[in-house]
Amino acid sequence: MPEQTVGLSAPLTPIEPVRTSFQEVYDFFLSGITDDMFMEMTKEDTEAMLEEILIAALPHFEFPRWADPFDLDLENKRFTTKLTVEEMRIIREYMIMEWLGFQLANVDLVRQKYSGSDFSFTSQASHMKQLLALKQDHEREGFHLQRLYCRRRKDKNGRMRTTFQQIMEPM
């Protein structure tokens, strides 16, 4: 089959689909937290930790609309699809939840260094309780966002419509 040409221009090359980079998701995640820890780490260590948090968060996104949420382009650090803002919000909530899990693990290590009364005295126990409550809040928010995500779709005119009728149809 001959190559397609337009006038005197070069042969047409296939256009690569737009995909969301991990960095876009990292930036979205980092805008939702405040932590000096990332400023103290090297760029490479930060990216490695962010990737670990992202990969740990993805299984919490139960029914994304793209084909395979676990088919990531790890070499080029990107998804195999273009994520919507709504999908990035859901992933961010679960990334924050995973990040808080890291924080809790660190506080747990601090607790192991001190005896019971010393741990209470330093208020680490209170801090740990607050982190756990915050983690649960983000887990609930991610769950809520997923429920909204499943219950609406854009129609052919770009307007959001309910999927209630489809949900209620018998299988």
Side-chain angles (χ1 to χ4, degrees):
M1 184 174 213
E3 293 181 359
Q4 294 178 325
T5 59
V6 178
L8 298 174
S9 64
L12 295 176
T13 56
I15 297 174
E16 187 174 324
V18 177
R19 296 182 175 130
T20 301
S21 70
F22 288 0
Q23 189 61 52
E24 290 174 78
V25 177
Y26 299 160
D27 292 344
F28 200 67
F29 162 72
L30 291 169
S31 72
I33 65 165
T34 52
D35 191 347
D36 294 338
M37 173 187 72
F38 290 112
M39 293 176 12
E40 297 169 6
M41 298 169 63
T42 66
K43 182 181 182 199
E44 293 77 20
D45 289 344
T46 299
E47 287 177 4
M49 181 177 229
L50 290 171
E51 185 173 318
E52 186 177 338
I53 291 170
L54 172 64
I55 291 171
L58 286 177
H60 297 286
F61 196 161
E62 296 176 31
F63 301 107
R65 292 188 183 132
W66 70 93
D68 186 352
F70 305 108
D71 181 24
L72 303 170
D73 183 351
L74 294 173
E75 184 178 331
N76 295 306
K77 307 292 185 203
R78 63 185 182 185
F79 286 82
T80 55
T81 190
K82 177 70 177 160
L83 299 177
T84 66
V85 171
E86 186 175 25
E87 290 163 338
M88 287 176 46
R89 278 196 65 210
I90 293 168
I91 293 168
R92 176 172 68 181
E93 289 301 320
Y94 289 119
M95 286 181 73
I96 293 172
M97 186 189 81
E98 290 295 331
W99 169 72
L100 288 166
F102 279 105
Q103 303 303 310
L104 282 166
N106 286 336
V107 171
D108 210 18
L109 292 173
V110 169
R111 179 171 58 177
Q112 291 173 14
K113 291 181 184 178
Y114 297 100
S115 65
S117 62
D118 291 337
F119 184 73
S120 299
F121 179 76
T122 62
S123 79
Q124 292 298 322
S126 174
H127 179 65
M128 192 173 190
K129 186 176 180 180
Q130 290 173 332
L131 286 174
L132 189 55
L134 192 56
K135 182 178 184 247
Q136 290 168 342
D137 288 346
H138 283 281
E139 186 173 17
R140 272 192 298 274
E141 180 65 13
F143 186 78
H144 173 71
L145 290 171
Q146 283 191 76
R147 296 300 132 327
L148 290 176
Y149 174 74
C150 293
R151 293 182 179 153
R152 59 184 177 198
R153 286 196 189 251
K154 284 185 184 177
D155 66 12
K156 62 183 177 185
N157 298 320
R159 292 193 181 107
M160 293 305 251
R161 301 289 182 202
T162 182
T163 60
F164 183 74
Q165 201 61 18
Q166 295 166 342
I167 293 169
M168 296 308 294
E169 288 178 7
M171 296 285 236

